[in-house]
Amino acid sequence: MTQPYLIEFPKLGDSSIGFISVTEQLKNIPFEVKRTFWTYYTPESIVRGRHAHYQTEQVLVAVAGRIIVTTEMPDGTTNVHRLEDPHMGLYVPPHAWHTMQYSHSAVQVVFASHAYDEHDYIRQYDQFREIWKA
């Protein structure tokens, strides 16, 4: 089973003129993007996510601020990733329980492999553990 991993996007430019980072279909992101969304103005005390997907793959990017992403795989492997550089993304595979905590100024862009479908979500942690129990 694929584990979450960091993706480095190209960082073009320099500090005197600024930077641009890009991705093209299937170049840096390992799936065809079917949905893109962003989160912002999330209070620092709020933990978002708290779910897993049956099928959806995602790449999370902190385009501003800091996001702490905790992932747990069905085998119990957990990782904590600190996203705070807009040219770095975190690949989150299907079946990964994930939570996010944001700095107040954080803006997160998410690239997803599937359109929104409520049936693709596992929203209860106990259910997540039960589905993939060894």
Side-chain angles (χ1 to χ4, degrees):
M1 178 169 287
T2 302
Q3 296 289 319
Y5 62 87
L6 291 173
I7 296 171
E8 185 170 3
F9 295 100
K11 182 177 178 182
L12 310 169
D14 62 54
S15 59
S16 67
I17 62 168
F19 297 93
I20 182 173
S21 290
V22 300
T23 187
E24 295 173 355
Q25 195 65 35
L26 299 174
K27 277 202 173 176
N28 305 92
I29 296 176
F31 53 80
E32 181 181 351
V33 175
K34 301 254 177 96
R35 179 175 179 234
T36 303
F37 62 93
W38 48 98
T39 58
Y40 49 93
Y41 299 151
T42 303
E44 291 190 28
S45 61
I46 299 298
V47 177
R48 294 196 58 156
R50 297 181 189 209
H51 65 267
H53 294 279
Y54 288 103
Q55 296 181 6
T56 299
E57 302 169 81
Q58 298 178 319
V59 173
L60 316 178
V61 179
V63 295
R66 179 202 70 248
I67 304 168
I68 305 297
V69 183
T70 303
T71 59
E72 180 180 341
M73 298 305 294
D75 67 3
T77 303
T78 60
N79 288 289
V80 177
H81 298 275
R82 184 181 178 105
L83 300 177
E84 57 188 343
D85 194 329
H87 81 283
M88 297 298 293
L90 176 65
Y91 172 74
V92 179
H95 308 169
W97 186 264
H98 54 287
T99 62
M100 291 89 61
Q101 278 193 280
Y102 303 81
S103 65
H104 175 69
S105 62
V107 177
Q108 173 183 254
V109 169
V110 178
F111 301 101
S113 64
H114 289 74
Y116 177 82
D117 177 0
E118 181 59 33
H119 299 294
D120 186 48
Y121 284 73
I122 303 163
R123 296 195 183 273
Q124 300 299 319
Y125 182 76
D126 291 342
Q127 182 184 6
F128 163 76
R129 294 302 316 146
E130 187 64 30
I131 289 170
W132 287 291
K133 185 185 275 185

